């Protein structure tokens, strides 16, 4: 495998994420790969979508939008973007329903779609760890069908992950920026899955709080303050409004906005931290660790500004994206006669 693609399929991280994380990590990974399989299968054969509608015991409504948001918000990994004018939001709902269905009925339907979309993959014995995946997997549908089958039959998944990495194509990448960010953090702090480490979470939470305090605000009031500043004619994001941005008075409700903003602020703080760990405001011949950061990490105003601006622009983009997602989901339901 070309080293360039290591960032797109981080085998070691996936093993750590699945084996040592909470139980829901496996459900999330399975949901993600089933969703990716369904999107590629539907591109080749749109009838996959109506087949799922007619066979899955999963009647959809606008209430399912909360299922989509819950999946996207669960952690920084495996949060896909949706293709414009596609049925991607509906397919994510179906993937969630298939993995959540403990009766096995959803998996039976999925197996039927495997056989229809790529019979050559559905007939493979993946318990044979010597299987030649590089020869077998030539298309996106085949790749995600095989990965989904192995994720459902977990006993062989870990052994085959390096072989999946060897067949990986750039177009198949996961949300790679998050992997790159936290892979760096794992390496720097010499710990695995640092984003789940309480000391790392305390550090980023502290940086988020310090950022807000530097602007004389807190999480509960930051959203309204931030949006007010954005609407100022001289604001750094004024071009957004001149481009015909959606009015955000009712989007989202304050409680939801605070949750979304905290998620985005934590990411912005981690991103800025990564940019400066090696050489910015650090004492000579010292590094930051998860035990000494309270004494040694110097966090100055320029970094507050970077975190604040990144979080603010990301928040606005996220709100617009959710509005567009809602519109696309409504159109999907209408086309499927829900």
């Amino acid at each position: 495998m070309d080293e360039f693609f290591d960032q797109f399929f981080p085998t070691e991280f996936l093993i750590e994420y699945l084996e040592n994380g909470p139980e829901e990590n496996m459900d999330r990974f399975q949901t993600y790969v089933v969703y990716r399989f369904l999107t590629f299968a539907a591109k080749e054969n749109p009838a996959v979508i109506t087949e799922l509608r007619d066979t899955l015991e999963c009647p959809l409504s606008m209430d399912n939008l909360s299922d989509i948001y819950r999946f996207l918000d669960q952690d920084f990994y495996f949060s896909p973007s949706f293709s414009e004018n596609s049925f991607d939001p509906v397919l994510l709902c179906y993937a969630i329903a298939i993995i959540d269905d403990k009766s096995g009925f959803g998996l039976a339907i999925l197996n039927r779609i495997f056989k229809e979309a790529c019979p050559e993959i559905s007939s493979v014995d993946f318990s044979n760890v010597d299987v030649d995946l590089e020869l077998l997997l030539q298309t996106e549908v085949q790749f995600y069908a095989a990965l989904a089958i192995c994720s459902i039959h977990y006993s062989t998944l870990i052994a085959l992950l390096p072989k999946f990495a060897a067949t990986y194509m750039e177009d198949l990448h996961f949300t790679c920026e998050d992997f790159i960010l936290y892979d760096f953090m794992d390496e720097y702090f010499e710990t695995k899955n640092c984003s789940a480490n309480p000391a790392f979470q305390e550090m980023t939470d502290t940086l988020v709080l310090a950022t807000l305090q530097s602007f004389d605000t807190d999480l509960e009031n930051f959203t309204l303050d931030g949006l007010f500043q954005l609407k100022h004619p001289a604001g750094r994001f004024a071009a957004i409004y001149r481009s015909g941005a959606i009015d955000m008075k009712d989007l989202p409700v304050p409680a939801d906005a605070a949750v979304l903003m905290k998620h985005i602020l934590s990411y912005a703080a981690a991103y800025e931290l990564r940019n400066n760990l090696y050489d910015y405001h650090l004492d000579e011949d010292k590094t930051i660790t998860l035990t000494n950061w309270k004494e040694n990490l110097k966090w100055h105003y320029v970094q507050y500004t970077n975190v604040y601006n990144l979080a603010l622009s990301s928040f606005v983009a996220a709100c617009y994206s959710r509005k567009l997602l809602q519109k696309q989901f409504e159109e999907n339901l209408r086309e499927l006669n829900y």
Side-chain angles (χ1 to χ4, degrees):
M1 178 180 176
D2 192 314
E3 290 183 3
F4 176 76
F5 295 119
D6 285 347
Q7 59 188 318
F8 298 121
F9 198 99
T11 303
E12 184 177 351
F13 167 81
L14 287 175
I15 294 173
E16 174 67 22
Y17 182 86
L18 297 174
E19 288 193 335
N20 298 323
E23 185 176 346
E24 57 264 24
N25 281 10
M26 175 52 78
D27 286 347
R28 182 168 178 79
F29 178 72
Q30 289 176 335
T31 301
Y32 177 84
V33 295
V34 168
Y35 161 76
R36 293 298 296 271
F37 163 74
L38 292 176
T39 59
F40 286 119
K43 286 179 182 178
E44 292 189 0
N45 179 15
V48 166
I49 301 167
T50 51
E51 180 177 354
L52 288 165
R53 179 199 62 186
D54 296 339
T55 55
L56 266 182
E57 295 179 356
C58 177
L60 300 182
S61 70
M62 287 305 295
D63 291 341
N64 291 98
L65 202 59
S66 62
D67 296 331
I68 295 175
Y69 291 149
R70 186 162 50 249
F71 179 83
L72 298 178
D73 290 343
Q74 184 176 325
D75 60 31
F76 286 114
Y77 311 110
F78 310 116
S79 294
S81 61
F82 301 118
S83 299
E84 185 181 16
N85 300 323
S86 73
F87 281 89
D88 288 359
V90 163
L91 291 172
L92 177 58
C93 287
Y94 287 147
I96 293 170
I98 288 170
I99 298 304
D100 285 351
D101 180 8
K102 304 307 180 185
S103 70
F105 180 71
L107 288 181
I109 294 173
L110 181 63
N111 283 329
R112 190 170 71 208
I113 296 175
F114 285 149
K115 293 177 182 178
E116 295 168 354
C118 43
E120 69 285 355
I121 299 299
S122 63
S123 62
V124 172
D125 178 12
F126 287 103
S127 64
N128 175 15
V129 295
D130 294 325
V131 62
D132 189 347
L133 292 186
E134 196 161 4
L135 178 64
L136 184 66
L137 306 181
Q138 300 296 319
T139 69
E140 294 92 341
V141 172
Q142 292 173 333
F143 180 90
Y144 275 108
L147 189 58
I149 291 170
C150 289
S151 72
I152 293 166
H153 303 288
Y154 178 71
S155 59
T156 61
L157 175 63
I158 299 304
L160 288 176
L161 275 177
K163 289 193 173 187
F164 277 105
T167 68
Y168 206 59
M169 295 166 273
E170 184 177 3
D171 289 345
L172 300 178
H173 69 80
F174 296 84
T175 49
C176 59
E177 178 58 35
D178 299 328
F179 285 127
I180 296 169
L181 171 63
Y182 291 107
D183 185 58
F184 170 88
M185 293 298 189
D186 288 356
E187 180 180 353
Y188 183 89
F189 290 112
E190 298 181 341
T191 185
K192 293 185 176 180
N193 197 8
C194 71
S195 62
N197 187 297
F200 183 84
Q201 293 173 347
E202 182 186 6
M203 179 170 59
T204 53
D205 286 348
T206 301
L207 298 180
V208 167
L209 180 61
T211 296
L212 296 177
Q213 289 175 340
S214 74
F215 287 91
D216 297 321
T217 187
D218 54 36
L219 192 60
E220 286 68 29
N221 297 310
F222 176 53
T223 305
L224 295 179
D225 291 346
L227 292 179
F228 175 78
Q229 292 179 31
L230 281 173
K231 290 181 181 295
H232 193 282
R236 78 184 252 129
F237 301 107
I240 294 176
Y241 294 93
R242 291 199 299 272
S243 299
I246 301 169
D247 191 337
M248 295 180 63
K249 290 195 298 291
D250 300 318
L251 176 70
V253 297
D256 292 342
V259 172
L260 177 62
M261 182 58 80
K262 185 177 188 305
H263 181 78
I264 291 174
L265 275 165
S266 296
Y267 182 87
Y271 193 86
E272 181 65 14
L273 180 64
R274 182 194 73 172
N275 289 345
N276 296 285
L277 269 175
Y278 278 137
D279 56 8
Y280 200 84
H281 293 304
L282 303 184
D283 294 334
E284 186 177 357
D285 296 327
K286 290 185 178 179
T287 58
I288 299 300
T289 69
L290 291 179
T291 56
N292 74 7
W293 66 268
K294 292 181 182 180
E295 295 77 29
N296 291 359
L297 180 60
K298 312 302 179 184
W299 197 252
H300 288 208
Y301 183 80
V302 62
Q303 293 168 298
Y304 294 143
T305 302
N306 290 347
V307 173
Y308 187 88
N309 287 337
L310 175 58
L312 206 57
S313 58
S314 299
F315 175 75
V316 172
C319 288
Y320 293 160
S321 293
R322 289 196 170 196
K323 195 71 172 178
L324 294 171
L325 173 58
Q326 178 180 336
K327 181 175 181 293
Q328 184 161 311
F329 191 57
E330 288 174 345
E331 293 174 352
N332 288 168
L333 297 183
R334 194 159 43 245
E335 289 188 48
L336 291 174
N337 297 319
Y338 277 118

